[in-house]
């Protein structure tokens, strides 16, 4: 699913029309700081990064969400160091 919130919002139970459960993976885009963009896993506490190796040309498919379900996103950032490098995505497909 695709949403816009900060990973520290651990008490969020619904995002983009989807009820979140522990273990769900969420693609964050357009965060106030692009350092927070990327894939996150919902946990009972603070969310954690899903992939530590996300890099240029990687694609992410969004399966759920009220506004972006069925879209594919292309990572346009290179040489990513998590929590240091801004991560940007471009939508490449919608079905």
């Amino acid at each position: 699913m695709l949403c816009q919130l900060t990973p520290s919002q651990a008490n969020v139970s619904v995002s983009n029309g989807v009820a979140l459960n522990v273990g769900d993976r969420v693609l964050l885009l357009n965060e106030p700081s692009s350092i927070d963009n990327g894939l996150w896993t919902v946990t009972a506490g603070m969310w954690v990064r899903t992939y530590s190796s996300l890099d240029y040309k990687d694609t992410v498919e969004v399966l759920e969400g009220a506004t972006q379900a069925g879209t594919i996103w292309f990572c346009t950032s290179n040489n990513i160091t998590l929590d240091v490098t801004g991560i940007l995505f471009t939508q490449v497909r919608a079905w």
Side-chain angles (χ1 to χ4, degrees), residues 1 3-4 6 13 20 23-24 27 35 40 43 48 60 62 80:
M1 92 196 61
C3 63
Q4 182 175 358
T6 60
S13 60
L20 298 177
D24 285 348
L27 175 61
I35 290 170
W40 291 84
T43 66
V48 295
V60 179
V62 177
I80 295 170

Side-chain angles (χ1 to χ4, degrees), residues 1-5 12-21 24 26 47 62-69:
M1 92 196 61
L2 176 78
C3 63
Q4 182 175 358
L5 24 107
V12 172
S13 60
V14 176
S15 177
N16 200 12
V18 177
L20 298 177
N21 297 300
D24 285 348
V26 178
W47 293 7
V62 177
L63 301 176
E64 295 181 83
T67 61
Q68 300 294 334

Side-chain angles (χ1 to χ4, degrees), residues 10-91:
N11 294 325
V12 172
S13 60
V14 176
S15 177
N16 200 12
V18 177
L20 298 177
N21 297 300
V22 170
D24 285 348
R25 292 185 301 169
V26 178
L27 175 61
L28 297 183
L29 297 174
N30 304 318
E31 293 301 299
S33 171
S34 61
I35 290 170
D36 292 327
N37 289 341
L39 294 165
W40 291 84
T41 298
V42 175
T43 66
M46 204 168 193
W47 293 7
V48 295
R49 294 279 186 175
T50 299
Y51 291 108
S52 59
S53 62
L54 184 67
D55 208 354
Y56 181 66
K57 295 186 179 181
D58 286 348
T59 58
V60 179
E61 183 176 1
V62 177
L63 301 176
E64 295 181 83
T67 61
Q68 300 294 334
T71 58
I72 296 177
W73 297 81
F74 177 85
C75 181
T76 58
S77 300
N78 202 359
N79 299 319
I80 295 170
T81 301
L82 291 180
D83 301 320
V84 174
T85 308
I87 303 173
L88 302 175
F89 291 88
T90 297
Q91 184 177 342

